[in-house]
Amino acid sequence: MTTHMQIKDLDRFEGLQKQQVPLLGEDQVNTISSSESQRQLQPDINQGIIGHVAHGKSSLARAISGTTTIRTSEEKIRNITIRLGYANFKVFKCNNLLCPPPVCYQSFSSKEFKPLCSICNSDMTLVRHMSFVDCPGHEMLMRTMLNGAAVMDGGILVVAANEGPQPQTAEHLVAAEIMGLSGLITVQNKCDLVTQDKAFASMHQIREFLNGSAAEDAKIIPMSCAPNFICNVDVLLQYLVERVPVPVRNLTAPAHMKIIRSFDINKPGTPIKSIKGGVCGGSIVAGVLQIGEIVEIRPGIVRTFDDGRVVSTPIISKVVSLFSENNPLKVALPGGLIAVGLTLDPILSRADRLVGQVLGRWGTLPPVFSGLQIEGRLLRRLVGLAASNPESNKVTKLKKDEQLLLTVGSLSVAAQVASVSTLDPSLEKKHFFKVRVTLASPACAEIGDKVSISRSVSSPKRWRLIGWGTISAGKLGDMESMI
């Protein structure tokens, strides 16, 4: 048993080393990333859709991408997003100068390559290929929203004109600020349900709500996403193209992907010879993945022994397919949501069992921690609660042995406070803290990674966001090799 397998330890696995494909050179990667064919196949940015439940987030995704993000039977029955939804779409610009902005911007599904303008039937040019990450808005699913925020590059805050800002509108906005989402856009949805005077009053209410937040200068776009009345989609598309830049990516580093979904794609009764390996879905944050590459998933298989020891066994597998929605890839780049087909036993990936883990080039992933030291700050008040007494919403200090819920990357994990101290006792900075926690399950993370902190409060008990911080140190967990 080892505490942390170093890269040099891989020399003893000669068979796997011979199977590893060579890393692409910097010139090769730059050529692929700038090619029109790659832009047509894979999105280059992840745009999150956040906000209160039933404010029309999934309707917005469907109106732009043509794809529904409500897919499971339970979601269809309840007509809400429960798991993270995803949809790719392309934005094309009409080449005819007679089609002025914003109507020259039109969206199509990811499988369209040469569409014609719906207004003048002229040729169009691809200007942006994006992925939507549709987050559930119910208060019970806040941890799912935080998991999705780990792969977002920017966000769209959706507020219904007939209801205005609600508790989870505030909680999602604070979470977006904590995770550092840039270029937030606000959509005033469901304008078809209110009068003109009510729409203007609602917009003023939204603007007041945004004051003092990271989105206080954000553009507010009035929209309707009802299937029989879609309005101002072109205005949002123009803003996404002209005001939301593609983040700078590290393409030469070893591949590193955060897993937000995992599947068993085999149907019941599939013959043994036809069974396909497990599939992991997520977003590459650095490097590139290639078909044939030997990859590792950490922490991997986690076991708890009778003596209380928790041991993780990293999973070693091989990439056999790469997909961006329905588009097959030979090489996957950072940005956009991708599906990685592996030689992995599908029982390990079914029903999102690998969510929160990290996939990357074998031997290059961050360490696995069983405990963390976090330096950060607490919110002054709880968000997402509609309490009549403001005093009941105050966030109290962390306490020894308290149970918390941490979100590290795309992983939500329970943790127990081992020790806590205040970084600065002055009145202005009393909410700044340093805390050591023991994790209920190991986490693959790097020093400096952001962590959001939630506490079980209110009645009925719900996990509520109370603070955030960064990992300043960690205790390495026990690990065993699978080979």
Side-chain angles (χ1 to χ4, degrees), residues 257-277:
M257 185 181 101
K258 295 179 180 178
I259 300 174
I260 61 171
R261 298 295 303 272
S262 67
F263 315 90
D264 172 10
I265 61 174
N266 301 287
K267 295 182 179 180
T270 302
I272 292 178
K273 291 183 179 180
S274 302
I275 289 179
K276 297 181 185 269

Side-chain angles (χ1 to χ4, degrees), residues 48 144 185 261 266 291 377 458:
T144 306
I185 307 167
R261 298 295 303 272
N266 301 287
I291 290 179
R377 63 168 299 174
S458 75

Side-chain angles (χ1 to χ4, degrees), residues 119-131:
I119 298 173
C120 67
N121 211 37
S122 299
D123 291 335
M124 307 187 78
T125 300
L126 176 67
V127 290
R128 188 59 63 85
H129 195 174
M130 309 182 78
S131 285

